[in-house]
Amino acid sequence: MNNAVRIKSTSGGMKVYLNSDLDFEELLAEIGRKFGESAKFFGNAQTILSLEGRELSEEEEARIVDVISQNTMLDIVCLYEERTEITEEPEPEPEPEPQVEEIPKEERVVFYKKSIDAGEIIKADKDLVVFGNVSEGATIMSVNSIYVFGGLYGEAYAGIDNGNDYVVAAMDFNPEKIGIGRLEYQGKKVSKWRKKTNFEPQIAYVKDKKIITEQITKELLNSLV
């Protein structure tokens, strides 16, 4: 069936639009065919998967992930569900002291599976991986490195125990400010009304005692290991 499955790449991963009327077993076969045809294009990248267009049980989601994995070399990190919240504009109040959310030390890598809003501060004692956006006015901190599978528009500080051997990476890299160890990098102001095109993932790291940013490539990652 034409358009039973449509695949769209986004800055935060990959969206798959599913026909809501097709029998699930037929849909599953169509997903396998669609991804199999594009396996070479996708390569062996890691991605966040968003399934759109129909209600799915956890078992159905798991079967879809299995079919995609069987027909491609993609490493699906997690399934992402977008949340839309409508709130009324609150009356102006005195700003409270920001609350810092501490993440347990026992975790080797911390996975934070939602977007971080303005005013929120997230601090991790290990590598911090965020599946979502870091909004303007939000702050994330890690003793080690930071990876954002989404847009980084707020502030991010890696190596906060004065370690320079860490990185800050994001799928859409446009921070207000970042820090690595004792070094800081001031982001460039970009209009909120800019037309967004295909984002290029970027990574920031320390070289010659200053923070530099580059587009993420396999060669660059190999040189940093």
Side-chain angles (χ1 to χ4, degrees):
M1 176 185 289
N2 291 335
N3 295 325
V5 177
R6 292 183 294 116
I7 305 170
K8 180 180 179 182
S9 295
T10 69
S11 61
M14 183 180 296
K15 285 188 176 183
V16 181
Y17 296 90
L18 307 173
N19 183 285
S20 60
D21 300 320
L22 193 64
D23 176 75
F24 181 74
E25 296 300 328
E26 295 181 40
L27 181 67
L28 208 58
E30 185 66 14
I31 292 171
R33 184 190 68 79
K34 198 86 169 183
F35 273 87
E37 290 176 349
S38 305
K40 289 184 179 180
F41 173 78
F42 295 134
N44 59 352
Q46 289 187 329
T47 189
I48 303 169
L49 190 66
S50 177
L51 302 176
E52 311 283 340
R54 66 187 284 162
E55 293 291 330
L56 296 167
S57 66
E58 291 185 4
E59 180 184 351
E60 289 174 333
E61 290 178 344
R63 292 184 66 189
I64 289 173
V65 171
D66 285 343
V67 165
I68 294 174
S69 299
Q70 291 167 10
N71 287 277
T72 68
M73 293 184 292
L74 287 171
D75 181 7
I76 299 173
V77 179
C78 73
L79 290 176
Y80 178 71
E81 294 184 3
E82 291 189 355
R83 299 177 303 159
T84 302
E85 298 181 359
I86 301 176
T87 58
E88 294 183 0
E89 190 72 22
E91 292 294 325
E93 294 181 1
E95 292 188 5
E97 289 292 321
Q99 298 296 313
V100 179
E101 184 175 342
E102 297 279 354
I103 302 217
K105 295 182 179 180
E106 292 77 14
E107 300 292 337
R108 293 184 60 190
V109 179
V110 174
F111 295 97
Y112 199 84
K113 299 180 181 179
K114 64 178 181 178
S115 293
I116 301 171
D117 297 326
E120 291 187 279
I121 301 174
I122 303 300
K123 182 179 179 182
D125 196 54
K126 301 294 180 183
D127 284 341
L128 176 60
V129 179
V130 178
F131 295 113
N133 295 329
V134 180
S135 301
E136 293 182 18
T139 301
I140 54 177
M141 299 182 286
S142 172
V143 171
N144 294 349
S145 294
I146 292 173
Y147 306 90
V148 180
F149 286 85
L152 174 55
Y153 310 121
E155 299 184 14
Y157 299 94
I160 56 176
D161 284 350
N162 300 325
N164 286 345
D165 297 326
Y166 300 104
V167 303
V168 176
M171 299 297 289
D172 185 20
F173 191 91
N174 185 32
E176 294 175 301
K177 183 189 293 185
I178 65 169
I180 302 177
R182 295 186 177 181
L183 302 175
E184 289 191 353
Y185 168 92
Q186 190 71 42
K188 297 178 181 179
K189 283 288 184 182
V190 178
S191 170
K192 293 181 180 179
W193 308 109
R194 66 174 179 161
K195 182 178 180 181
K196 293 192 175 183
T197 55
N198 292 328
F199 301 124
E200 293 183 347
Q202 293 190 52
I203 188 169
Y205 60 96
V206 174
K207 183 178 181 181
D208 298 330
K209 297 183 179 180
K210 65 180 181 180
I211 296 176
I212 63 173
T213 63
E214 291 188 40
Q215 181 181 349
I216 296 176
T217 63
K218 183 179 293 186
E219 292 75 20
L220 175 60
L221 293 176
N222 290 336
S223 71
L224 294 175
V225 173

